[in-house]
């Protein structure tokens, strides 16, 4: 019976660690919901929801790694100059990738952009702040403690596939979406999960996936497209030309376009071929 809970070395098995993390996150989420309701509107405007979720995820992750007598940096959160440089490089990469998708759809006649008469600089800054919170929260949640313990338990390939499925299912796909469009959007979200997982696996750091995630969402928002189906104000507004939504992505955003599928497939293949970089904290990942 002991071996159901602990391995040969006496350590708790990774499956129980993941269940413990999920349980603590559930309790933390209930606390955040209560705190969010009681917080003044002025504070909520400065600290949007993703930062509250990030705070809980950071706390739960810290508790879990401390129980294993490891630092929080062991999850790939070493906030040094190298980490920040990788975030910056990833952000540029994310902008380029979603920019390539937008260019492909535009060349196919899928949309034209109209300038939004609003505070452009303000929109850019607000979007960057919001998407930074989203990227930090989602990468810590989906490529942090759970992903890394799952990798130890079942291996990197299975962990990437399973977490990509979870990442896909965690995103909203409205019932009003056409079936073909929903299939494309789900496939692209799964591929994005694989891409971001490979960014971590190849660097053993959350910096690159955080940057790619940030750049991707931020630039898509600035262009005025929906971000995973969430309509947000951008610097521009796309006007669609009547092409099929599986090409343009429609109201859901570029992530529901087959052009996005092609870009993500090529990116995943490229990351699979890349040998990556040596982890900076070898002891923590041993």
């Amino acid at each position: 019976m002991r071996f159901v809970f602990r391995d040969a070395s006496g350590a708790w098995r990774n499956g129980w660690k993941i269940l413990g993390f999920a349980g603590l996150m559930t309790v933390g989420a209930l606390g955040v919901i209560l705190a969010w309701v009681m917080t003044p509107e002025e504070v909520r405007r400065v600290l949007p929801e993703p930062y509250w979720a990030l705070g809980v995820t950071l706390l739960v992750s810290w508790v879990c790694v401390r129980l294993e007598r490891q630092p929080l940096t062991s999850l790939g959160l070493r906030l040094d100059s190298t980490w920040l440089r990788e975030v910056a490089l990833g952000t540029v990469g994310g902008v380029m990738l979603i920019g390539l998708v937008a260019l492909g759809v535009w060349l196919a006649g899928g949309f034209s952009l109209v300038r939004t008469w609003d505070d452009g600089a303000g929109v850019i800054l607000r979007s960057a702040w919001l998407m930074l919170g989203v990227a930090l929260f989602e990468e810590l949640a989906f490529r942090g403690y759970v992903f890394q313990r799952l990798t130890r338990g079942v291996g990197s390939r299975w962990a990437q596939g399973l977490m990509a499925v979870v990442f896909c299912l965690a995103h909203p796909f409205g019932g009003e979406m056409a079936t073909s469009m929903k299939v494309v959007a789900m496939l692209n979200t799964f591929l994005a999960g694989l891409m971001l997982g490979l960014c971590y696996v190849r660097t053993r750091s959350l910096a690159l996936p955080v940057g790619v995630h940030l750049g991707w969402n931020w630039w898509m928002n600035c262009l005025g497209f929906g971000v995973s189906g969430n309509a947000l104000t951008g610097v521009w507004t796309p006007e669609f030309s009547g092409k099929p939504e599986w090409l343009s992505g429609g109201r859901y955003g570029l992530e529901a376009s087959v052009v996005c599928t092609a870009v993500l497939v090529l990116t995943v293949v490229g990351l699979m071929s890349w040998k990556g970089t040596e982890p900076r904290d070898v002891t923590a990942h041993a």
Side-chain angles (χ1 to χ4, degrees):
M1 189 66 178
R2 172 178 176 275
F3 292 103
V4 174
F5 298 98
R6 297 180 181 269
D7 58 23
S9 65
W12 284 93
R13 293 191 178 277
N14 291 297
W16 294 111
K17 293 178 182 178
I18 292 171
L19 285 175
F21 180 93
L24 290 174
M25 282 293 293
T26 301
V27 174
L30 293 174
V32 164
I33 292 172
L34 179 61
W36 176 262
V37 172
M38 298 173 62
T39 301
E41 180 65 27
E42 295 77 12
V43 177
R44 285 189 281 180
R45 277 199 291 265
V46 176
L47 282 178
E49 290 181 25
Y51 286 95
W52 295 67
L54 171 63
V56 171
T57 310
L58 271 172
L59 178 59
V60 173
S61 299
W62 177 80
V63 169
C64 289
V65 294
R66 289 305 297 164
L67 289 173
E68 298 181 26
R69 298 183 179 180
Q70 293 189 27
L72 192 59
T73 55
S74 66
L75 297 180
L77 284 171
R78 183 176 293 280
L79 303 182
D80 54 16
S81 59
T82 302
W83 200 90
L84 294 175
R85 184 169 64 249
E86 288 182 1
V87 169
L89 289 172
T91 302
V92 173
V95 169
M96 292 176 64
L97 287 173
I98 198 63
L100 186 60
V101 175
L103 177 62
V105 176
W106 177 76
L107 289 174
F111 68 89
S112 58
L113 289 178
V114 177
R115 181 71 164 83
T116 300
W117 295 107
D118 199 349
D119 178 14
V123 170
I124 290 172
L125 291 175
R126 287 193 295 271
S127 176
W129 176 242
L130 175 64
M131 295 310 171
L132 175 61
V134 171
L136 286 169
F137 160 59
E138 292 193 359
E139 291 314 305
L140 186 59
F142 292 105
R143 258 65 65 177
Y145 186 85
V146 171
F147 177 79
Q148 294 168 36
R149 296 309 175 269
L150 189 61
T151 298
R152 293 180 184 181
V154 300
S156 177
R157 291 185 179 180
W158 275 103
Q160 289 180 69
L162 289 171
M163 288 307 296
V165 170
V166 173
F167 183 71
C168 173
L169 296 177
H171 285 73
F173 300 98
E176 71 279 0
M177 293 174 65
T179 302
S180 59
M181 188 178 174
K182 187 178 295 187
V183 169
V184 174
M186 294 183 72
L187 173 60
N188 287 344
T189 307
F190 172 80
L191 289 170
L194 286 181
M195 174 184 69
L196 295 167
L198 283 166
C199 285
Y200 169 79
V201 170
R202 291 296 184 261
T203 61
R204 294 297 174 183
S205 170
L206 290 176
L208 187 61
V210 165
V212 172
H213 203 149
L214 167 61
W216 178 282
N217 283 353
W218 172 70
W219 191 237
M220 187 158 48
N221 179 193
C222 287
L223 292 175
F225 291 95
V227 179
S228 299
N230 298 301
L232 300 168
T233 301
V235 180
W236 294 275
T237 300
E239 291 190 348
F240 300 103
S241 58
K243 296 286 185 179
E245 288 190 325
W246 51 260
L247 172 65
S248 67
R251 286 178 296 175
Y252 186 86
L254 293 171
E255 291 165 325
S257 168
V258 292
V259 177
C260 185
T261 308
V263 170
L264 285 171
V265 167
L266 291 173
T267 304
V268 168
V269 171
L271 286 169
M272 290 175 67
S273 304
W274 179 39
K275 294 182 180 180
T277 59
E278 289 295 325
R280 295 186 295 278
D281 192 352
V282 177
T283 303
H285 293 289

